[in-house]
Amino acid sequence: METKTTYLASLLQTCIDKKAHLAGKLIHAHMLRSRLSDDTFLSNRLIEFYAKCNAIDASRRLFDQMPKRDIYTWNAILGAYCKASELEDAHVLFAEMPERNIVSWNTLISALTRNGFEQKALGVYYRMSREGFVPTHFTLASVLSACGALVDVECGRRCHGISIKIGLDNNIYVGNALLGMYAKCRCIGDAIQAFGDVPEPNEVSFTAMMGGLADSDQVNEAFRLFRLMLRNRIHVDSVSLSSVLGVCSRGGCGEFGLHDSNDVLSSDVHGQQVHCLTIKHGFESDLHLNNSLLDMYAKNGNMDSAEMIFVNMPEVSVVSWNVMIAGYGQKSQSSKAIEYLQRMQYHGFEPDEITYVNMLVACIKSGDIEAGRQMFDGMSSPSLSSWNTILSGYSQNENHKEAVKLFREMQFRSVHPDRTTLAIILSSLAGMMLLEGGRQVHAVSQKAVFRTDIYLASGLIGMYSKCGKVEMAKRIFDRIAELDIVCWNSMMAGLSLNSLDKEAFTFFKKMREKGMFPSQFSYATVLSCCAKLSSLSQGRQVHSQIAREGYMNDAFVGSALIDMYSKCGDVDAARWVFDMMLGKNTVTWNEMIHGYAQNGCGDEAVLLYEDMIGSGEKPDGITFVAVLTACSHSGLVDTGIKIFNSMQQEHGVEPLVDHYTCIIDSLGRAGRLHEAEVLIDKMPCKYDPIIWEVLLSSCRVYADVSLARRAAEELFHLDPQNSAPYVLLANIYSSLGRWDDAKAVRELMSYNQVVKDPGYSWIEHKNGMQAFMVDDNGRMVDDEVVVVNDGMSCSSG
């Protein structure tokens, strides 16, 4: 009998391994005929067999019919429920168990972690510890996975300590789980140490470590780790290849092939190399890996390659369609995104929440916010991600009023905001200068779990700064326990926005002293301070730091450098920076043209504008303001008119009030006042006060009293508190000896309680920056001399 039992057990194991449902049922029938159904050992195997074949009801019937059950029986049925993800029944069964061993606890903890109930998994683990059970490597692997998902690094550290205490810290499963936990908790230093402590790291170790490095924006290090993985001949599977493709989709510039590590290749080239590896290892049919390839090409903007992958995939999923829709959305091609949505539905795939979010992004990126709103309104129950996407669309398009209105509707529908929602609405409230609304959002964040959230704190700093409440912004900044670069940047930008450039420099210095590496935005902000303070010496020092830290080819920083040099009068240095930049965009070209305009180099500005057109860069409204300003300041009237006329005809840019102002100024400087008046009368925006103020200034130069009177009267009506028209008109009368008329204008100015602001001048010298102004009694007053930031000088303004 014992031999027969062993033989049947062996057959059942084969059925379990191969999921041979019919053969297993025949063995069960044979057991019933042979009166072996009461054998606990065989019945336990049968429960496992039915569970493996997803026949949970059959497992339970067999369990209920068993006359004798042991701990293995209970563990088998518990495992069956856990495998079927019927966790409520598993909990009930677990509570009914007459005895439990470590397998029982591990089974339930593992199932809870796998199914997203990480907090419950930790609760079961704590209970297991209280009952005196010592965790195994399986226990710790599951618990550490739960800690990573919950970003509970403190619990993870305690588990780390336990693993050392019981001698499991060198176990490969525990080691991989530890580095995965630290990586998910963004403790990258601990993750690197955990990786180093793994005696023989495998593909799981390398994959987890690469993911952690990429998530912390250490893309080059992730590439180097993959190169090390290949060098050490670690087995490369589809998961590790998907992970490194995720790194490629984030960008980076470290070569991981066999070339020199100093070669700088694009992420797309890296991705193509990994693509070759997927073919070499025979993974062309792996759906998950193909989706990763699609995602990599789409995020790098290479939609032609993404299309090629997509059409050749043996099978596609909803994820595949979503990636293609997202890719075209990021390239602002909403029509292609809509085409893929229609094709997706035609082929029988049901769009999910991510599909609609991607479509919303596509509409918003394409500037079609109304189409996005229609899609949003068509959703029966929009998710929080959808709300955030449409709110972000309105905020980015500066339709702050609609964003606030939609946020209120979100509250009426009882949709609870998250940190992203609150940050978006803070941006809109700041844009509308709605301080009271910002305070209310601040109060909500204090009541919710976002009290210490640095992402939201940065938004609050920006909101209070834009509303002029710098002291409140400082208080929030000072309360943040662990400051990141975004918070520092927000505080510096807020100070600069409120003309506190001296303090902005102080913050920049403190940031460096704290070991924080400045970002592109940090440098752009501090360069803006140099420009506003006309401090060329400070700007040059910042330029040196930028060069040392490798930001010279960044278009954002380069544009700020050009602006700083131009405003400080060193236009040759600005042009040198421009010529040295590898990656120029429209903003870069605009800054250099504007720099020439500021420094009276009209011919150079026009030549650069022509070079811009010749390079294929598309000019925008700001480009034309810059080049038309240059023409105006340099007397290139006819050239300016020719460029103005080409705006809409050749480049599709609608002239706005700023462009008309430049032409009016140009005509006025040349004494062609009649042409300027005729143009104003034809303009769609002739009731803008700037237009008339520019014309009035020209009338003063050419003593055209009649036109000056008309311009001044328009300004009295359009901008009653502006002192400029009173002063200019009075000066015109004075210059012509018409003293009674001049006196009448000044009396009118006094009657209307209009006050002229005093003049304010700057002088930079070796000890700092000194400012001079004239008080109401005509006396010269000097402001304080300020020295900041390692000898860099600036004024308090």
Side-chain angles (χ1 to χ4, degrees):
M1 181 65 74
E2 186 175 343
T3 303
K4 187 173 184 180
T5 300
T6 305
Y7 176 67
L8 289 174
S10 177
L11 289 177
L12 278 173
Q13 185 59 53
T14 303
C15 294
I16 291 169
D17 295 338
K18 295 185 178 182
K19 295 185 181 179
H21 192 205
L22 181 59
K25 288 179 74 175
L26 289 173
I27 294 171
H28 189 184
H30 177 74
M31 285 170 56
L32 290 170
R33 287 197 303 271
S34 304
R35 301 183 182 278
L36 292 173
S37 56
D38 291 343
D39 188 292
T40 302
F41 177 67
L42 288 175
S43 295
N44 289 346
R45 305 300 274 179
L46 272 173
I47 291 172
E48 290 180 38
F49 159 72
Y50 282 120
K52 187 78 170 181
C53 295
N54 299 316
I56 185 68
D57 292 337
S59 290
R60 183 65 201 225
R61 282 196 301 272
L62 186 59
F63 174 81
D64 290 338
Q65 293 166 5
M66 287 177 65
K68 292 172 63 178
R69 303 170 186 149
D70 57 17
I71 184 65
Y72 301 104
T73 313
W74 285 92
N75 282 340
I77 192 65
L78 178 66
Y81 277 123
C82 289
K83 183 180 182 300
S85 298
E86 296 187 14
L87 299 183
E88 288 188 15
D89 291 328
H91 260 294
V92 172
L93 191 73
F94 186 80
E96 293 174 351
M97 290 179 73
E99 64 171 316
R100 305 183 189 96
N101 60 11
I102 192 63
V103 175
S104 319
W105 294 98
N106 284 349
T107 301
L108 186 58
I109 292 169
S110 175
L112 289 167
T113 302
R114 280 198 316 273
N115 287 276
F117 297 98
E118 292 89 0
Q119 200 64 60
K120 288 185 177 180
L122 292 184
V124 174
Y125 168 68
Y126 296 143
R127 185 179 163 193
M128 180 192 101
S129 299
R130 286 195 300 271
E131 293 191 16
F133 286 91
V134 177
T136 67
H137 60 285
F138 290 116
T139 321
L140 291 174
S142 296
V143 172
L144 287 166
S145 176
C147 292
L150 295 169
V151 197
D152 189 348
V153 71
E154 293 308 315
C155 178
R157 290 191 196 282
R158 288 195 295 271
C159 289
H160 192 174
I162 290 169
S163 71
I164 295 171
K165 183 178 179 181
I166 62 178
L168 288 174
D169 51 315
N170 289 326
N171 181 275
I172 186 67
Y173 296 104
V174 176
N176 287 342
L178 271 171
L179 76 90
M181 180 275 296
Y182 282 127
K184 288 177 182 175
C185 293
R186 301 296 177 94
C187 299
I188 198 65
D190 294 300
I192 292 170
Q193 186 173 342
F195 179 80
D197 290 340
V198 177
E200 294 182 8
N202 58 13
E203 67 273 16
V204 177
S205 319
F206 277 90
T207 301
M209 195 65 248
M210 282 190 294
L213 289 167
D215 287 340
S216 61
D217 293 326
Q218 297 186 44
V219 177
N220 292 340
E221 288 76 6
F223 278 134
R224 280 196 284 271
L225 194 64
F226 184 63
R227 185 172 66 237
L228 179 64
M229 183 180 180
L230 295 175
R231 253 200 325 258
N232 291 351
R233 301 187 181 277
I234 303 294
H235 173 67
V236 175
D237 59 10
S238 60
V239 178
S240 54
L241 287 172
S242 292
S243 179
V244 79
L245 283 169
V247 177
C248 295
S249 69
R250 290 173 178 269
C253 57
E255 173 62 91
F256 58 79
L258 299 177
H259 304 289
D260 191 307
S261 62
N262 292 320
D263 290 341
V264 178
L265 299 178
S266 71
S267 300
D268 201 29
V269 173
H270 290 319
Q272 288 169 359
Q273 292 177 336
V274 179
H275 189 175
C276 292
L277 283 175
T278 66
I279 297 169
K280 179 180 177 181
H281 289 278
F283 292 125
E284 299 99 320
S285 300
D286 189 290
L287 177 60
H288 177 69
L289 189 52
N290 278 327
N291 284 340
S292 297
L293 277 167
L294 278 182
D295 186 59
M296 180 274 297
Y297 281 122
K299 284 181 177 171
N300 287 330
N302 187 348
M303 292 309 297
D304 291 337
S305 294
E307 284 265 14
M308 192 181 304
I309 298 289
F310 186 83
V311 297
N312 288 306
M313 284 172 66
E315 63 170 323
V316 295
S317 64
V318 173
V319 174
S320 316
W321 291 101
N322 286 347
V323 169
M324 295 301 291
I325 291 169
Y328 281 115
Q330 289 300 318
K331 288 182 73 80
S332 304
Q333 296 181 18
S334 58
S335 57
K336 286 289 289 184
I338 291 169
E339 176 194 324
Y340 264 83
L341 175 63
Q342 292 169 342
R343 284 173 57 189
M344 174 185 184
Q345 293 171 312
Y346 175 79
H347 286 286
F349 290 89
E350 190 67 29
D352 61 11
E353 185 62 38
I354 295 173
T355 315
Y356 290 115
V357 169
N358 289 345
M359 280 304 309
L360 279 175
V361 171
C363 293
I364 290 164
K365 292 270 295 181
S366 301
D368 195 353
I369 186 72
E370 293 308 315
R373 181 59 184 269
Q374 288 175 10
M375 183 169 296
F376 177 81
D377 290 339
M379 297 181 186
S380 57
S381 181
S383 70
L384 184 56
S385 295
S386 301
W387 282 100
N388 287 345
T389 303
I390 193 69
L391 283 170
S392 177
Y394 280 121
S395 186
Q396 288 172 17
N397 283 274
E398 298 189 358
N399 190 345
H400 301 305
K401 185 177 180 181
E402 192 61 32
V404 172
K405 181 180 175 183
L406 196 61
F407 178 66
R408 286 175 179 158
E409 183 182 337
M410 178 182 176
Q411 292 174 300
F412 290 141
R413 292 204 205 174
S414 299
V415 180
H416 295 291
D418 63 0
R419 62 200 284 267
T420 303
T421 321
L422 296 179
I424 292 167
I425 208 63
L426 278 171
S427 177
S428 284
L429 291 167
M432 297 173 70
M433 304 289 284
L434 292 177
L435 178 61
E436 189 53 41
R439 283 174 172 158
Q440 291 175 15
V441 173
H442 189 180
V444 169
S445 70
Q446 292 292 95
K447 291 178 182 177
V449 295
F450 310 119
R451 182 187 296 269
T452 58
D453 189 286
I454 57 174
Y455 178 68
L456 194 55
S458 176
L460 285 167
I461 291 167
M463 183 276 296
Y464 281 117
S465 297
K466 287 179 182 176
C467 292
K469 299 295 181 182
V470 181
E471 290 305 316
M472 188 63 196
K474 284 182 185 176
R475 281 202 289 273
I476 292 170
F477 181 87
D478 291 337
R479 289 172 188 165
I480 302 171
E482 294 185 17
L483 292 162
D484 68 352
I485 190 63
V486 178
C487 291
W488 283 100
N489 287 345
S490 296
M491 195 65 247
M492 284 193 295
L495 292 166
S496 179
L497 183 67
N498 286 275
S499 301
L500 297 170
D501 298 289
K502 177 193 75 172
E503 293 194 38
F505 268 105
T506 303
F507 266 81
F508 182 72
K509 181 180 178 181
K510 283 182 182 176
M511 183 183 79
R512 290 168 55 205
E513 289 172 352
K514 296 279 186 183
M516 193 73 65
F517 289 102
S519 68
Q520 294 96 321
F521 190 83
S522 313
Y523 282 123
T525 302
V526 79
L527 285 169
S528 174
C529 293
C530 295
K532 287 194 289 181
L533 296 168
S534 300
S535 180
L536 185 58
S537 60
Q538 293 172 3
R540 284 172 176 159
Q541 290 181 46
V542 175
H543 186 176
S544 297
Q545 295 170 28
I546 289 167
R548 282 198 303 270
E549 298 195 14
Y551 283 112
M552 284 301 298
N553 288 321
D554 183 89
F556 191 50
V557 176
S559 299
L561 270 171
I562 292 166
D563 179 61
M564 182 276 297
Y565 278 121
S566 298
K567 285 180 178 173
C568 291
D570 193 347
V571 72
D572 291 334
R575 183 58 190 259
W576 182 86
V577 172
F578 177 85
D579 289 338
M580 290 297 103
M581 287 180 64
L582 298 177
K584 301 180 183 72
N585 59 15
T586 304
V587 176
T588 317
W589 286 92
N590 290 351
E591 286 292 357
M592 193 61 246
I593 295 170
H594 187 238
Y596 278 132
Q598 288 175 306
N599 289 275
C601 306
D603 291 322
E604 290 86 345
V606 172
L607 286 172
L608 191 62
Y609 163 76
E610 291 170 351
D611 288 344
M612 179 183 182
I613 303 299
S615 73
E617 192 74 46
K618 186 175 174 59
D620 59 13
I622 297 171
T623 314
F624 287 107
V625 169
V627 71
L628 290 174
T629 300
C631 291
S632 174
H633 290 180
S634 300
L636 304 174
V637 186
D638 293 328
T639 303
I641 292 172
K642 181 181 176 183
I643 292 172
F644 178 81
N645 291 334
S646 73
M647 282 180 64
Q648 194 167 24
Q649 296 171 6
E650 297 178 23
H651 305 289
V653 179
E654 185 74 28
L656 301 176
V657 64
D658 289 341
H659 305 109
Y660 282 106
T661 301
C662 291
I663 292 298
I664 298 299
D665 183 50
S666 184
L667 290 168
R669 286 170 184 263
R672 295 158 64 169
L673 297 176
H674 177 68
E675 291 178 59
E677 187 177 14
V678 170
L679 179 60
I680 289 175
D681 288 333
K682 292 179 180 178
M683 281 167 46
C685 48
K686 64 180 178 181
Y687 296 112
D688 190 284
I690 297 295
I691 294 286
W692 294 104
E693 191 170 327
V694 168
L695 183 63
L696 182 55
S697 296
S698 298
C699 291
R700 179 194 176 190
V701 175
Y702 291 97
D704 190 329
V705 178
S706 174
L707 187 55
R709 183 73 191 177
R710 180 192 172 189
E713 286 175 352
E714 291 283 356
L715 284 167
F716 295 158
H717 174 68
L718 294 170
D719 194 2
Q721 293 303 305
N722 185 1
S723 63
Y726 296 95
V727 174
L728 287 170
L729 186 59
N731 287 344
I732 291 172
Y733 285 134
S734 298
S735 65
L736 296 173
R738 295 171 58 171
W739 306 110
D740 290 340
D741 290 328
K743 182 180 178 183
V745 172
R746 292 192 180 277
E747 286 175 352
L748 179 64
M749 180 178 176
S750 178
Y751 178 79
N752 290 335
Q753 296 182 332
V754 178
V755 180
K756 180 182 180 295
D757 293 328
Y760 201 40
S761 300
W762 303 78
I763 297 175
E764 183 179 13
H765 51 78
K766 65 181 180 179
N767 294 322
M769 182 78 72
Q770 193 157 9
F772 297 93
M773 60 183 289
V774 179
D775 65 11
D776 293 336
N777 297 318
R779 293 174 301 191
M780 189 163 65
V781 181
D782 65 304
D783 199 5
E784 60 181 315
V785 178
V786 181
V787 180
V788 297
N789 210 15
D790 300 328
M792 290 196 275
S793 59
C794 67
S795 168
S796 64

